[in-house]
Amino acid sequence: MYRRVVGTNVPPASDLLVDCLEVEGVEYVFGLPGEEIEDLLFSLRDSEITFVPTRHEQGAAFMADVHGRLTGDAGVCLSTLGPGATNLITGVADAQLDKSPLVAITGQGGRERLHKESHQALDVIDVFEPLVKWNTQIAEPEIVPESVRKAFKLAEYEKPGATHLEFPEDVAPEETDAEPIPLRDQVRRPDPDPASVERAATLLEAAERPILLAGNGAVRTRAADSIRALVDRLEIPVVATYMGKGAISDREPASLMTLDSGPNDEAARAIDRADCVVTVGYDIAEHDPEGWNPDLEKTIVHIDYDPAEVDRHYNPDVEIVADVGAALRAIDERIPTDACSLWCRDLHDRLLESVTRPPEESDPTSVRNALPLLREAMADEDVLVSDVGSHKMAIAQSFPTYDPNTCIISNGLASMGIAVPGALAADLSVDGNVVAATGDGGFLMNAAEIETATRLDCGFTIVVFNDNDYGLISAQQDEHRGEHTGTELANPDLVTFAESFGIDAYRPETWDEIERAFADAVPSDELALIELPLDE
C-alpha cells in the first residue's frame, strides 16, 4: 500500500494535483472513495475543495455534468480504478454529447503491474478515448500541472465537453517541486467574417418567412441577450430545441417554444412553412434536421463556434463560425428594422394559452396537465432538471421557460437517471429553487443520491411522475405494434421510501391537493418528494 511521504517539505504529487484544481477554481469534487485514490482523498481533505462522497459513480458524473452546464466551469468527478472508472462512463458521455464541461479523474494501479493482467486493472485510457475530447495518464509527478491545465482548458473551450485524467497510485505519493500553471484569459473566437455576415443578412432580408432556431449553444454561450435584441427589433419568430429552451422568454410574442410544441405540432408546422432558417448554436445531435428540412428546400444560415456537421438535411448556405453573440450583433446592425415581420404572430398566443391553462377537476392526472401548476409554483429563475422518459417530452413541449439555463434537459445522450443527482448539483450551483422532474424508472436509477443530498443539507423538490412503467417505450411499442412488452414495473411505496431518508413526502390525489403540494414544497428550502400517480 502506498502512503504519502511524511516528514518532508517537498509535497507529494497528490497535493500538487489538488493545488492545480484550486487554481482552476474547483469548489466540489463528486465521487466515491477507493484504495488507489487514498493519497488524493487526503490531499482533498486538507484543501479548500469539498469532496462530496456520492452513492454511485454515475451520480457523481451527472453532478459534475450539470454543475458544468449551469456554471460554465468544468465539473469534476472522481473514482477509483476498474469498476469505479467504468461506472463514470454514462455521466461522462452525457456531458460530452450535451456539451457540458467536465473533468473526470480516475485512479489506477501501480505502474509496475499495468503491463500484465492484474486485479481490477483495465486500460481505462482506451475505454474513455471515444467518449471524451482528450484524456491521458499522469505517469510522472512533473506533468501534473500541464495535464490538469490542458484538461480544464479543453473541457471548457467551445464546444465544451469531457476530458479525463488517470492518476496511478504509485505516482500520487511521489515528491515533486512542480508548481500549478496560472490561469490566463480564455481563448476567444475571432469576430465574424464580414463577407459571411453580408451574405447571411442578404438571405434573411430576401426571405418571406424567416425563423430562428435556437439550439444548445444559444444558451451555453450566453448569447441569449444578443438573440433577444435581434428578435425584438426584427420580429423574427424563434423556435428552440429542447436544450435551447430559455434562449428567448416564452412570454415573448416571437417565441414558438420548441420544435415539437403545440397540441397539434403547430411549432413544427411553422418551421415547415419557413423558407429561411437561421440556426444559432444548433447541434444535429439535439434534433435530427431531417425532421425540419425533409425536402432539402430551406435556406439555412448556420451561426456557431464550429462549422456545421455534414448531413444531407443540414447543408447551410452560409456558415458564420465565430463568437455567437458577436455574429448576431453583426447581422442585427446590417439589417434594417422593416426587413422582417412576425409572420406567425397568432401562433404564440395559442401555444402559451394551451400550456398555461390549469387543469379542471375532471381532467386525468397526466404530466401535461400537472405542468401548469408546477410552472405557477416556480419563479422565473428557478431551475427544473428533467430526467429522460415520457415526462421529458411533455416538459420539452409544454413547460414555458423564461430565462436561459432554467430548464435542464439531457438530449444529446438523453440518459435516464440524471434528475436527482443533477438537481443536487443545481442546488449547489444556483441561487433559485430547484425541481427534479423524473419518472419512476429514472428516479430509482439514482434515488440513493437522496442520502447524499440530505448529508449536504440540500433543499430541492423531487417530483416523480409514476406510471409503474417505462412509459415512453410502452407508448412507442403501442404505436408500432398495438401492444407493449418488457416495460412494466412494480415500484415500492415511493412516499415511504422517501420518508426513510428523513425527508417529507407527499402523494396528492386531487388537482387542488397537487397545487397545494407544489406551492408548499417548491419555494421551501427543504428537500421533499411529491409522487404523482398517473392515470392510465
Side-chain angles (χ1 to χ4, degrees):
M1 179 68 65
Y2 295 92
R3 292 286 186 265
R4 78 160 55 198
V5 178
V6 179
T8 175
N9 291 325
V10 181
S14 60
D15 277 7
L16 174 60
L17 193 151
V18 171
D19 288 345
C20 292
L21 296 181
E22 287 184 329
V23 169
E24 297 291 340
V26 174
E27 296 182 81
Y28 302 98
V29 172
F30 306 98
L32 261 70
E35 291 181 54
E36 288 73 18
I37 56 173
E38 179 179 310
D39 288 282
L40 188 52
L41 290 171
F42 277 90
S43 294
L44 284 168
R45 183 198 65 177
D46 298 333
S47 74
E48 298 298 317
I49 298 171
T50 300
F51 174 66
V52 177
T54 64
R55 303 309 298 256
H56 195 283
E57 291 88 354
Q58 185 184 104
F62 280 142
M63 292 174 197
D65 174 5
V66 172
H67 173 86
R69 183 163 166 185
L70 286 172
T71 66
D73 300 322
V76 182
C77 53
L78 173 67
S79 80
T80 190
L81 80 171
T86 58
N87 281 345
L88 286 177
I89 283 176
T90 297
V92 170
D94 192 84
Q96 178 72 356
L97 286 184
D98 280 355
K99 312 299 187 296
S100 300
L102 175 149
V103 175
I105 303 172
T106 62
Q108 184 53 281
R111 289 164 294 178
E112 83 288 344
R113 68 180 177 96
L114 297 184
H115 69 287
K116 60 185 178 181
E117 182 178 348
S118 59
H119 181 62
Q120 290 191 317
L122 296 171
D123 190 339
V124 176
I125 298 297
D126 273 3
V127 170
F128 274 79
E129 182 64 29
L131 306 175
V132 296
K133 295 178 72 174
W134 176 78
N135 81 124
T136 194
Q137 183 189 84
I138 301 176
E140 300 292 339
E142 288 71 27
I143 70 170
V144 167
E146 290 181 348
S147 300
V148 173
R149 179 79 279 270
K150 184 172 182 178
F152 277 82
K153 182 175 183 177
L154 292 180
E156 294 172 355
Y157 179 69
E158 279 290 334
K159 295 181 177 181
T163 59
H164 166 244
L165 297 171
E166 181 179 78
F167 198 39
E169 64 174 334
D170 58 337
V171 176
E174 289 188 2
E175 297 179 349
T176 176
D177 56 5
E179 297 286 339
I181 296 176
L183 299 188
R184 297 289 187 256
D185 289 343
Q186 287 192 340
V187 178
R188 295 187 62 83
R189 294 286 189 187
D191 287 340
D193 171 52
S196 297
V197 170
E198 178 66 25
R199 174 68 173 144
T202 300
L203 293 175
L204 196 52
E205 283 184 272
E208 294 182 2
R209 294 178 302 279
I211 198 166
L212 191 149
L213 173 57
N216 180 7
V219 173
R220 185 184 67 243
T221 63
R222 279 47 176 179
D225 287 346
S226 298
I227 291 175
R228 294 178 182 204
L230 183 144
V231 168
D232 285 347
R233 191 175 68 82
L234 299 181
E235 295 190 318
I236 301 174
V238 179
V239 65
T241 65
Y242 295 174
M243 298 179 71
K245 286 171 68 70
I248 180 174
S249 170
D250 285 332
R251 290 194 186 95
E252 292 296 321
S255 174
L256 303 183
M257 299 189 68
T258 64
L259 282 160
D260 297 323
S261 289
N264 296 301
D265 294 329
E266 286 94 341
R269 292 211 298 273
I271 199 169
D272 185 56
R273 292 175 57 207
D275 55 358
C276 177
V277 180
V278 180
T279 67
V280 180
Y282 165 73
D283 293 307
I284 65 173
E286 299 181 71
H287 197 289
D288 189 345
E290 185 176 2
W292 55 268
N293 188 27
D295 300 322
L296 317 177
E297 294 176 347
K298 298 190 187 303
T299 299
I300 299 174
V301 176
H302 169 93
I303 302 175
D304 205 359
Y305 276 75
D306 280 347
E309 175 65 274
V310 175
D311 186 284
R312 176 179 294 277
H313 295 271
Y314 190 65
N315 187 24
D317 297 79
V318 180
E319 298 187 43
I320 303 179
V321 179
D323 179 271
V324 172
L328 290 166
R329 290 191 293 272
I331 292 174
D332 194 8
E333 292 170 1
R334 164 63 181 76
I335 301 177
T337 301
D338 60 356
C340 304
S341 65
L342 199 52
W343 51 272
C344 48
R345 186 181 302 272
D346 294 341
L347 178 54
H348 164 266
D349 295 339
R350 294 201 303 273
L351 287 173
L352 192 63
E353 194 278 332
S354 71
V355 300
T356 56
R357 185 192 311 118
E360 298 180 0
E361 184 178 349
S362 59
D363 287 340
T365 305
S366 69
V367 179
R368 289 185 186 276
N369 288 337
L371 289 180
L373 302 181
L374 180 59
R375 177 71 272 186
E376 183 64 25
M378 297 176 65
D380 289 6
E381 67 274 13
D382 291 348
V383 175
L384 182 144
V385 180
S386 175
D387 219 305
V388 174
S390 56
H391 64 282
K392 181 189 94 167
M393 310 304 291
I395 288 167
Q397 297 164 16
S398 303
F399 184 79
T401 306
Y402 307 124
D403 287 331
N405 254 348
T406 56
C407 184
I408 303 301
I409 294 176
S410 170
N411 205 47
L413 188 68
S415 175
M416 294 176 68
I418 192 173
V420 172
L424 184 155
D427 188 63
L428 297 176
S429 304
V430 303
D431 293 331
N433 296 308
V434 176
V435 173
T438 181
D440 49 305
F443 170 67
L444 284 175
M445 288 184 177
N446 280 310
E449 302 303 347
I450 294 176
E451 187 278 324
T452 310
T454 61
R455 191 175 354 110
L456 294 176
D457 198 27
C458 289
F460 57 90
T461 304
I462 305 166
V463 179
V464 183
F465 298 105
N466 186 5
D467 60 0
N468 291 291
D469 201 282
Y470 290 117
L472 182 60
I473 305 304
S474 287
Q476 291 173 338
Q477 289 181 359
D478 287 339
E479 181 179 349
H480 298 156
R481 297 172 177 264
E483 58 182 345
H484 56 268
T485 184
T487 62
E488 295 180 2
L489 303 172
N491 289 311
D493 185 321
L494 297 185
V495 168
T496 302
F497 175 80
E499 289 174 340
S500 72
F501 290 95
I503 70 173
D504 291 332
Y506 312 90
R507 189 184 293 115
E509 296 182 354
T510 68
W511 285 120
D512 283 344
E513 291 175 352
I514 292 170
E515 184 175 20
R516 285 198 300 273
F518 287 158
D520 290 343
V522 172
S524 169
D525 292 330
E526 301 299 318
L527 185 62
L529 179 142
I530 300 171
E531 179 194 0
L532 296 187
L534 302 181
D535 292 332
E536 291 292 339

